[in-house]
């Protein structure tokens, strides 16, 4: 909103537009550096097949439906494809931030949401790599240039992986003795990798993401992230201000109504696709609803993809403005929806019964012959101590927990458990 207001008055009147482009690029760089740093490939291992299947079905179905919607309202094939691609990806940064603030990050739906978002991010990075291999001078697609860029880029990725295994842990272990030096060295590494990728025609976004991946396995990863977070927050604010100023350049009724149509699609249809998919895979309706609601916004990756498509001449400025406005609307709506998710679920719970398949529910594993047993709600730290004491006394125990890591431990201990959230009425009834 600040950008839309300040654009015509201040930003667009400036004779030095390069400053604003630099601020925008810095915002994207720090954002993608932290995404690369904080992405946990291990999150996929907890759900594996279900998360990958859900993400891929969601990506395919959303692209097809969004493409048809964009075509119906009169946009061209190429523009429709890029809009469909942009609407498909959801914001890892926003979802993780809100889940953490609500203390739902370790919940079943929290872990599953992050796993699905991780698959989406990896697919988005793949599209960024392809776009980066195109001719950024606006002369169209060049297959030979793309292949050369991909080969050189693969070599750079291999080099980063080698440094990650052999040199960076040794180097940063010594740098970490001085926190300021660790902070400066992390930024220097970011700029170095971005420059290396830019030298072979990759976008700064790919370079920033790979810089983050290069430091992701270090012991100092959390310390680095903590120091970079304020920079990211500051420059991402500037990124959105500049973004808003660009919308103001061509803000008309056509862009507004198209953005509203796409926003309704993102807020209603996208979550519905996820809910149906998870329901068919055997998850309870509450879990399906929470995960679906988590994906009801447009990602920062989508804006990056659109900017690169604009540079290569694939889409027009109007298309970018439509998606940007859609992103702002959906990010605002979904953020508040996530905060009030439980209240929303209670109001529409009975209408979601159709999403469940009774004989395929995977959120439980109970010995039905239990009688006169203890029910332990939560088995982390104190709960685990109580569980061990009860087992020493040969008591039968049923544990209710929604943390997949704890449930895995309970399986290994051969303890009866109910995999779910005790605040879910269905779990309570069970």
């Amino acid at each position: 909103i600040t950008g839309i207001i300040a654009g015509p008055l201040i930003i667009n009147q400036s004779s030095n537009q390069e400053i604003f482009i630099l601020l925008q690029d810095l915002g994207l760089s720090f954002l993608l550096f932290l995404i690369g740093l904080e992405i946990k490939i291990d999150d996929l291992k907890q759900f594996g097949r279900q998360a990958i299947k859900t993400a891929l079905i969601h990506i395919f179905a959303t692209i097809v439906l969004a493409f048809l919607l964009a075509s119906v309202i009169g946009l061209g094939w190429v523009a429709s494809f890029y809009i469909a691609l942009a609407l498909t990806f959801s914001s890892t940064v926003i979802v993780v931030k809100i889940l953490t603030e609500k203390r739902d990050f370790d919940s079943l739906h929290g872990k599953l949401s992050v796993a699905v978002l991780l698959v989406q991010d990896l697919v988005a990075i793949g599209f960024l790599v392809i776009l980066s291999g195109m001719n950024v001078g606006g002369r169209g697609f060049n297959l030979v240039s793309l292949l050369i860029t991909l080969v050189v880029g693969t070599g750079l990725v291999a080099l980063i992986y080698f440094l990650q295994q052999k040199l960076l842990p040794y180097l940063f272990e010594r740098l970490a003795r001085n926190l300021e030096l660790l902070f400066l060295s992390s930024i220097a590494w970011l700029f170095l990798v971005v420059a290396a990728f830019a030298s072979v025609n990759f976008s700064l976004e790919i370079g920033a993401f790979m810089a983050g991946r290069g430091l992701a396995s270090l012991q100092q990863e959390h310390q680095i992230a903590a120091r970079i977070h304020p920079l990211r927050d500051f420059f991402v604010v500037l990124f959105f201000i500049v973004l808003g100023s660009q919308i103001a350049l061509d803000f008309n009724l056509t862009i507004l109504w198209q953005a509203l149509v796409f926003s309704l699609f993102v807020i209603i249809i996208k979550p519905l696709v996820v809910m149906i998919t998870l329901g068919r895979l055997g998850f309870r309706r509450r879990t399906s609803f929470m995960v679906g609601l988590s994906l009801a916004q447009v990602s920062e990756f989508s804006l990056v993809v659109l900017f690169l498509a604009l540079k290569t001449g694939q889409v027009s400025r109007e298309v970018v403005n439509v998606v940007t406005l859609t992103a702002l609307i959906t990010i605002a709506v979904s953020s508040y929806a996530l905060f009030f998710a439980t209240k929303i679920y209670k109001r529409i719970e009975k209408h979601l019964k159709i999403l469940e398949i009774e004989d395929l529910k995977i959120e439980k594993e109970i010995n039905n012959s239990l009688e006169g047993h203890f029910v332990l709600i939560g088995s982390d730290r104190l709960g685990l101590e109580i569980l061990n004491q009860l087992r020493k006394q040969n008591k039968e125990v049923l544990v209710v927990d929604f943390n997949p890591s704890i449930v895995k431990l309970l399986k290994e201990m051969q303890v009866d458990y109910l995999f779910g959230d005790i605040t879910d009425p269905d779990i309570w009834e069970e």
Side-chain angles (χ1 to χ4, degrees):
I1 294 173
T2 301
I4 291 172
I5 296 171
L9 299 176
I10 303 168
I11 298 175
N12 301 332
Q13 302 299 323
S14 171
S15 59
N16 197 349
Q17 291 293 318
E18 291 80 9
I19 290 291
F20 297 106
I21 294 172
L22 172 62
L23 294 174
Q24 194 174 40
D25 287 346
L26 283 171
L28 279 177
S29 296
F30 287 121
L31 175 66
L32 287 160
F33 176 68
L34 275 177
I35 289 175
L37 189 66
E38 295 177 342
I39 275 182
K40 301 291 182 269
I41 302 295
D42 288 343
D43 286 342
L44 275 180
K45 296 177 182 177
Q46 292 179 331
F47 295 101
R49 193 168 62 241
Q50 291 101 333
I52 293 172
K53 190 181 292 186
T54 300
L56 294 180
I57 291 173
H58 168 253
I59 290 170
F60 176 76
T62 307
I63 285 179
V64 171
L65 293 173
F67 178 83
L68 292 174
L69 176 62
S71 300
V72 165
I73 65 176
L75 295 168
W77 284 20
V78 175
S80 296
F81 171 74
Y82 277 105
I83 287 175
L85 198 62
L87 299 185
T88 297
F89 302 123
S90 304
S91 177
T92 304
V93 173
I94 289 170
V95 174
V96 169
K97 178 178 173 59
I98 294 176
L99 286 175
T100 303
E101 288 179 1
K102 291 183 65 184
R103 301 190 178 183
D104 279 349
F105 191 80
D106 287 327
S107 67
L108 173 59
H109 68 264
K111 291 284 188 184
L112 192 54
S113 297
V114 172
V116 173
L117 285 165
L118 175 56
V119 177
Q120 281 192 17
D121 288 346
L122 294 175
V123 173
I125 287 293
F127 277 106
L128 285 179
V129 169
I130 293 171
L131 280 172
S132 295
M134 294 181 179
N135 187 339
V136 294
R139 295 189 294 273
F141 183 82
N142 187 320
L143 181 59
V144 175
S145 173
L146 174 61
L147 291 175
I148 293 173
T149 303
L150 288 176
V151 170
V152 177
T154 303
L156 279 175
V157 171
L159 176 61
I160 288 175
Y161 180 77
F162 174 79
L163 293 173
Q164 183 187 48
Q165 299 298 314
K166 303 296 182 183
L167 177 63
L168 294 177
Y170 174 84
L171 178 63
F172 275 83
E173 185 179 343
R174 277 143 188 80
L175 293 171
R177 295 170 185 172
N178 184 308
L179 292 180
E180 278 119 357
L181 191 57
L182 177 68
F183 172 59
L184 291 173
S185 301
S186 303
I187 296 177
W189 165 258
L190 165 63
F191 291 159
L192 178 66
V193 175
V194 167
F197 274 83
S199 68
V200 293
N201 294 326
F202 272 99
S203 68
L204 68 87
E205 294 84 9
I206 293 292
F209 179 82
M210 290 310 303
R213 291 305 306 151
L215 304 184
S217 62
L218 298 182
Q219 291 180 348
Q220 298 79 22
E221 169 229 331
H222 295 294
Q223 186 64 53
I224 294 170
R227 287 299 184 107
I228 299 291
H229 270 132
L231 274 180
R232 180 205 64 185
D233 292 344
F234 176 72
F235 282 105
V236 164
V237 167
L238 296 178
F239 166 76
F240 277 108
I241 289 174
V242 177
L243 207 60
S245 73
Q246 292 169 350
I247 295 177
L249 292 176
D250 187 15
F251 188 65
N252 54 48
L253 287 177
T254 301
I255 289 175
L256 179 60
W257 79 259
Q258 288 179 347
L260 289 174
V261 169
F262 290 135
S263 296
L264 290 173
F265 175 87
V266 171
I267 293 166
I268 298 171
I269 304 301
K270 267 181 71 173
L272 201 56
V273 171
V274 176
M275 287 183 230
I276 292 172
T277 304
L278 288 174
R280 299 303 96 178
L281 290 174
F283 287 93
R284 290 180 177 275
R285 52 186 156 168
R286 186 177 186 276
T287 303
S288 302
F289 173 78
M290 292 298 185
V291 176
L293 199 62
S294 297
L295 306 181
Q297 75 286 121
V298 174
S299 170
E300 58 281 346
F301 265 138
S302 301
L303 302 178
V304 175
V305 169
L306 260 294
F307 283 138
L308 282 177
L310 179 64
K311 287 180 183 178
T312 59
Q314 304 291 309
V315 298
S316 65
R317 167 61 64 182
E318 288 73 22
V319 170
V320 176
N321 286 347
V322 168
V323 175
T324 303
L325 188 55
T326 303
L328 296 176
I329 293 171
T330 56
I331 285 170
V333 172
S334 70
S335 296
Y336 286 102
L338 279 171
F339 272 112
F340 298 105
T342 302
K343 291 182 179 179
I344 296 171
Y345 174 75
K346 286 179 179 177
R347 288 182 176 275
I348 64 173
E349 175 188 358
K350 59 185 179 182
H351 303 298
L352 300 177
K353 183 70 176 174
I354 193 173
L355 296 176
E356 290 182 339
I357 298 180
E358 290 295 333
D359 58 345
L360 281 182
K361 289 179 186 173
I362 64 173
E363 293 184 46
K364 63 178 181 178
E365 190 160 311
I366 302 174
N367 175 2
N368 290 319
S369 65
L370 285 175
E371 192 173 319
H373 55 281
F374 288 84
V375 178
L376 178 61
I377 299 172
S379 186
D380 187 14
R381 297 183 183 176
L382 178 60
L384 188 59
E385 288 292 327
I386 296 171
L387 174 63
N388 289 331
Q389 291 299 324
L390 289 171
R391 294 185 80 200
K392 285 178 183 178
Q393 299 174 38
N394 296 319
K395 305 293 186 182
E396 283 193 302
V397 185
L398 169 69
V399 180
V400 183
D401 208 304
F402 57 22
N403 188 326
S405 302
I406 291 174
V407 169
K408 182 181 177 183
L409 176 63
L410 295 173
K411 273 186 178 180
E412 293 170 355
M413 296 171 64
Q414 296 183 325
V415 174
D416 287 303
Y417 65 86
L418 183 60
F419 189 3
D421 186 348
I422 195 65
T423 61
D424 182 346
D426 287 343
I427 294 291
W428 180 261
E429 183 181 350
E430 194 79 47

